[in-house]
Every structure is written in C-alpha cells, then in structure tokens.
Amino acid sequence: MTASVSGAAKDRVLIFDTTLRDGEQCPGATMTLEEKLEVAELLDTMGVDIIEAGFPIASNGDFEAVALIAKQVKRATVAGLARAISADIARAGEAVRHAVRPRIHTFVSTSPIHLAHQMRKSEEEVLEIITTTVTQARNLIEDIEWSAMDATRTPIDYLCRCVEAAIKAGATTINLPDTVGYATPDEYRAMFRAVRERVPNADRAIFSAHCHNDLGLAVANSLAALEGGARQIECTLNGIGERAGNAALEEIVMAIKTRGDVLPYETGIEATMLTRASKLASAATSFPVQYNKAIVGRNAFAHESGIHQDGMLKNAQTYEIMTPESVGVSKTSLVMGKHSGRAAFRNKLEELGYSLSDNQFQDAFERFKELADRKKHVYDEDIEALVDQNIAMAHDRIKLVSLHIVAGTRGPQRATMRLQVDDRIVVEEQEGNGPVDATFNAIKALVPHEAVLELYQVHAVTEGTDAQAEVSVRLSADDRSVTSRAADPDTLVASAQAYLGALNKLMSRGARLHAQHAAE
C-alpha cells in the first residue's frame, strides 16, 4: 500500500495480548499469580481488547490465575486457551465464565507435517475434530476463537476447508498463525486474502494474525496480515514468547500510530502507557529489555552520533519519527534525594507511571530513603529498579535480612548470611571461590535445593561508581527455568536478592510446568 490515506476513515484493529500465556512460555519467564494480576490490570487500563490469561488445563495454578483475571478485568475480553480436546475446552469455559467478556480460544494443527508427526490424524479426522470441539465451546461461551496451528505451512485448499468448518460450528474469530516464524510478508498477506475470498462464510468472523519472530519478521508479517484483511493482531509486551518471541505489542501499536499515511488503521491502546507496560513485563518476568529494542529500549531515543546530535539540536524531527513522550518516556531528572519527602516521591512515581497501594508505597519510600543515603544522585532509573524489585519480591517466602562478605586477594572468601524463611530467621557462614560463590553457597546451605545456575549477569542501572548494580539470575530444576532480577548499589547484595528471587519462583505454588507447550 503506497497511496496516502491521511484523513480517510480508519479501520479498527483489535489488539490481542498473549503476554500472560504465550509470553510466559518463554523459558525462564514464569510469573507469580500476583504478577499476572498486576500485568492484566495494566493491560486492561491501557486499552488492550483481548487478554489471553493462560492455559487453564495446564495446572490448578494456571486455572486459578485465569479465573481470577477473568473476575478482575473490567473492560477487556479475557480468553483461556484450550487444545481441541473436550476436557481442555470445558476447563477453559469454567475459568473464563465470570469475565465481563469471556472467550474460549481453541486450536488444532492443520499442516501436513503436524498431522503426520504430532496429531497422527487424517485431514478428514481433523475436520471432524474442529466441528465437534468448536461446537462444544460455542455451547459454553458465545465468543469463540479458533486457530489453525501452523497455518502458513498448510495447503491453502485444506486450510479453507478447516476455516469454513470452524465458522460453521460457531467460531467468531479465526486465527491463522505463523507458528514457526516461517512466512514472509507477501506470503502471509496473500494467505489471508485467499482464505477470506474463498471461504463462503468468511464475513461472519474476524480474522486474526499471530506471528513468531524466528526470522525477525513477526511485526512485518502482522502488518501485512492487516492488508490481507485481518483485523486482530496477537502480540506480547517486549515481544517475549516461545523461541525468538512474538510480535511486539509496542511496535505494532506505534507502527500503526506513526505511519497512518500508509497504514489506515487505529487501535484503542493508550500509547503513553507503553513504556510502563514494558517495564512491568520486564520486572515480572525478570527478562531485561535489550538496549536497542524499538520503542521501549533504553537507547530508543538516544543519539550519540555528532551528525545526529547536530540535527536534533536544530529540529528533533530530523532524527526522531516519534517523541519520547508519545510512548511514556520522561526526561531523566536528578531532583530526588535524601531530603525528598513523601509527596515529592509519590509525584515522581506518578510521573513514572506507577500506581501503588499504601503498603507498596510505604515499602518503596523506605527503600528509596535507604538508597538516597547511600547514593549521591537518585535517577529515575534507580527509582524504577527499586519499585519493580519491590513488586517482584512482595510475596517471597525467603527474604534477605543481612549479608556480610570477607573478600580480597588472600582467600578464602567468606559470606555470612541471615535470611527470613517464612517466619524463621536462619543464619549461615560459607566459603567460596570468590565472594559471589560464597554468597550462593550460603543460600544453598540455608535453603537446600538442587537447582542449577544457568545465568548470572551484572550491569549498571545508571552511570557512576555509585550506580546500582542490576543482577539477573536464572535457575533451572525439573526441566523448568525461572529468571529473577534485583538491583542494589552493592553488587553482592543484588546477587543474593536475584538468586533468592529465582529460588522463590521455583518454590512458589504458582510456578508450574505447562502440561504441553501450547498453540502458536
């Protein structure tokens, strides 16, 4: 599409967010129940149309999360995922039934390679499964989404037969996912056009795109699907998800908003909340956002080249196609310090997009004052790091009380640690091959476990020798990985808190293995 469409009527595109389902399937990205509820509330507030809350059949924890989100969300449709199995569909229907707008999202494989090796069913058997399961779902809930898993590798004639059967059985949304990130934009656009033209009852359903980023084409393919007639895009915050991830919600929204001249569409998303949503998702999953990530990365609006800086000084539009403020980025300031009071701190939190309960605010304020006593300048990034950490650690069973380290060139290095485990205080001293190793050995002695350390990573939140260190830790146990992050001016304290955060996630009742990696 090349012609300008400025001023023309724009089609509404529904934003379907699957951060809580497909995003959480990203290895190490497990969220607690409380974190899921907080992410869902923000998604609802920022204008997401459909929130896919989870996969209810996977575990009691997943069912509970979907059910609570369904009751909590005030505006958006809440979807539960289900395989094309009767028990899955019944469980999903039960989980979402209290939502203001409930949806069952059911899926089945359609490509030859999936039918032969995963389904082990014939084409006719799968058509019968589609009719039976979609009919069952429609008898429970009016709003039914059906997905053709691996649609982009499915012969078009058979894909059309499947879509026709799903709509005839009661599906109101048809999702044609690029499950393995295989398609190119031209191919994906043509697939949607062909299906919508050839299926007789296509006008009775909304068509949806769900793209994975294995070749880095998820956003491009999603936008191409709109040109092919899709009017729903499935995406995740920060593009997290299986393997290389999904289409990034913030990139979809801002592409449509910024390039209205060639993309005649609109969404209901409040774009100024995108940065806050990105940071909340990053804090909840403990997955850092890459610095050069489009829209929400730390460098998204940074200019270092002399030529670029010269242009920016003369006119920002020379090198910025959107303003930082349009996605909720405010300028870093140094106004906060140890003399700042509660009112100033609360105002700063509001500027940064946080809305905390009284207890959360008090905890955050106390940590801020402690940080201000230890650090000359408190940047916005420092405040975001401490508040996000408070949110992530609020319900932890194991908490760090104190840590004392003996280190230097003459070993051995030694760590003395005091932890609060539920209502007990426990103390341990351990040696190690360096202070970090000694710290982690002390945790293992106090909380015996078999988890394997897969990742230990440190970077500075801001500049300067007094900058907070942000540490990421990934632990794995029983074929499950979890990641946690923590920040503190003392790298070893941050290391201990990050390790404990990951350990808490492994031990949490809310953590669980998916019964099967699901859908797209």
Side-chain angles (χ1 to χ4, degrees):
M1 182 178 299
T2 55
S4 174
V5 293
S6 298
K10 295 184 176 182
D11 284 358
R12 179 74 154 79
V13 173
L14 301 176
I15 297 298
F16 177 115
D17 183 276
T18 184
T19 302
L20 298 175
R21 199 279 301 169
D22 205 339
E24 205 207 8
Q25 288 179 203
C26 182
T30 300
M31 288 177 264
T32 65
L33 175 59
E34 291 78 12
E35 288 166 342
K36 288 182 179 182
L37 290 170
E38 188 162 6
V39 171
E41 183 177 8
L42 183 58
L43 291 173
D44 192 32
T45 302
M46 72 186 290
V48 165
D49 298 287
I50 303 99
I51 300 170
E52 187 164 54
F55 188 17
I57 198 69
S59 71
N60 290 333
D62 232 27
F63 176 87
E64 180 185 9
V66 175
L68 286 174
I69 291 168
K71 293 174 183 177
Q72 170 185 284
V73 166
K74 297 179 175 63
R75 187 200 56 80
T77 296
V78 176
L81 186 71
R83 294 167 296 184
I85 298 172
S86 178
D88 277 42
I89 291 169
R91 191 70 165 157
E94 177 65 19
V96 302
R97 66 188 181 93
H98 293 297
V100 175
R101 295 181 177 85
R103 173 181 293 189
I104 295 175
H105 178 195
T106 185
F107 67 96
V108 70
S109 295
T110 55
S111 69
I113 191 169
H114 277 220
L115 264 59
H117 299 287
Q118 185 172 21
M119 292 288 292
R120 297 185 179 178
K121 302 282 185 182
S122 69
E123 289 186 349
E124 295 305 316
E125 286 175 318
V126 169
L127 282 168
E128 185 176 341
I129 288 171
I130 293 169
T131 298
T132 301
T133 54
V134 173
T135 299
Q136 177 195 355
R138 186 58 187 265
N139 287 335
L140 297 173
I141 301 290
E142 289 188 6
D143 186 357
I144 305 301
E145 176 169 342
W146 176 79
S147 290
M149 187 153 73
D150 206 21
T152 52
R153 295 192 296 176
T154 301
I156 193 67
D157 290 343
Y158 182 60
L159 183 60
C160 287
R161 291 178 66 197
C162 291
V163 170
E164 183 176 1
I167 297 175
K168 186 176 181 180
T172 49
T173 298
I174 297 295
N175 181 34
L176 304 180
D178 186 22
T179 302
V180 293
Y182 178 75
T184 64
D186 284 346
E187 291 171 336
Y188 204 50
R189 180 191 303 109
M191 180 188 70
F192 276 92
R193 282 180 175 163
V195 171
R196 292 180 66 249
E197 288 171 359
R198 294 173 55 174
V199 172
N201 52 3
D203 60 340
R204 289 162 49 186
I206 293 172
F207 280 75
S208 179
H210 180 120
C211 297
H212 279 264
N213 206 38
D214 298 74
L215 294 175
L217 296 172
V219 170
N221 284 338
S222 299
L223 296 174
L226 297 180
E227 294 182 324
R231 287 300 178 266
Q232 175 178 292
I233 292 181
E234 306 191 3
C235 43
T236 61
L237 295 171
N238 301 331
I240 64 170
E242 293 270 20
R243 304 182 312 279
N246 292 47
L249 182 149
E250 61 276 1
E251 295 178 24
I252 296 291
V253 169
M254 291 310 294
I256 291 172
K257 185 178 178 67
T258 304
R259 293 307 312 274
D261 56 329
V262 292
L263 297 169
Y265 318 111
E266 61 183 5
T267 73
I269 301 296
E270 176 51 62
T272 58
M273 297 182 70
L274 289 173
T275 296
R276 175 68 204 117
S278 166
K279 288 177 178 176
L280 178 60
S282 178
T285 60
S286 295
F287 265 53
V289 178
Q290 67 191 67
Y291 284 6
N292 64 330
K293 169 76 174 63
I295 315 299
V296 293
R298 182 178 294 183
N299 292 347
F301 297 96
H303 304 270
E304 186 166 330
S305 161
I307 295 174
H308 286 217
Q309 289 176 346
D310 178 65
M312 287 291 296
L313 290 170
K314 293 172 179 174
N315 187 320
Q317 291 183 345
T318 55
Y319 288 101
E320 281 188 353
I321 60 173
M322 53 196 148
T323 66
E325 293 79 11
S326 69
V327 297
V329 175
S330 60
K331 300 298 181 183
T332 298
S333 61
L334 302 176
V335 298
M336 302 303 294
K338 64 181 181 180
H339 299 297
S340 300
R342 280 179 168 76
F345 185 64
R346 190 181 293 277
N347 183 68
K348 173 57 68 175
L349 291 179
E350 290 174 357
E351 285 181 10
L352 297 175
Y354 290 95
S355 178
L356 304 183
S357 68
D358 290 341
N359 288 338
Q360 286 177 320
F361 173 81
Q362 183 59 34
D363 290 343
F365 182 71
E366 289 175 2
R367 290 201 65 206
F368 159 69
K369 297 296 278 189
E370 291 172 4
L371 179 62
D373 281 336
R374 301 166 63 189
K375 197 172 186 295
K376 186 175 181 181
H377 297 303
V378 180
Y379 294 83
D380 290 354
E381 290 91 342
D382 290 317
I383 295 173
E384 290 165 346
L386 73 85
V387 173
D388 287 340
Q389 184 172 325
N390 259 27
I391 291 170
M393 295 172 58
H395 301 276
D396 285 354
R397 290 180 51 203
I398 309 166
K399 295 182 179 180
L400 179 66
V401 177
S402 66
L403 175 65
H404 178 70
I405 300 291
V406 176
T409 56
R410 294 187 181 182
Q413 286 73 35
R414 193 161 54 252
T416 303
M417 178 175 290
R418 184 185 300 267
L419 297 180
Q420 179 181 328
V421 182
D422 295 325
D423 297 324
R424 296 182 301 116
I425 299 295
V426 291
V427 182
E428 181 64 47
E429 180 178 302
Q430 286 286 315
E431 295 181 350
N433 183 23
V436 174
D437 188 48
T439 298
F440 291 175
N441 286 342
I443 294 174
K444 292 176 183 176
L446 289 166
V447 188
H449 61 276
E450 300 298 324
V452 176
L453 179 64
E454 290 187 335
L455 171 73
Y456 173 73
Q457 193 173 65
V458 182
H459 76 268
V461 173
T462 54
E463 298 177 355
T465 56
D466 64 348
Q468 289 196 93
E470 187 171 71
V471 176
S472 297
V473 166
R474 181 179 300 154
L475 297 179
S476 65
D478 300 325
D479 298 321
R480 180 159 48 95
S481 294
V482 296
T483 307
S484 181
R485 285 189 298 164
D488 193 273
D490 188 316
T491 304
L492 296 171
V493 171
S495 299
Q497 289 173 333
Y499 194 106
L500 290 170
L503 195 56
N504 273 293
K505 287 187 176 184
L506 281 176
M507 296 175 66
S508 171
R509 288 186 304 171
R512 80 289 175 267
L513 270 173
H514 285 287
Q516 171 182 319
H517 276 318
E520 305 74 40

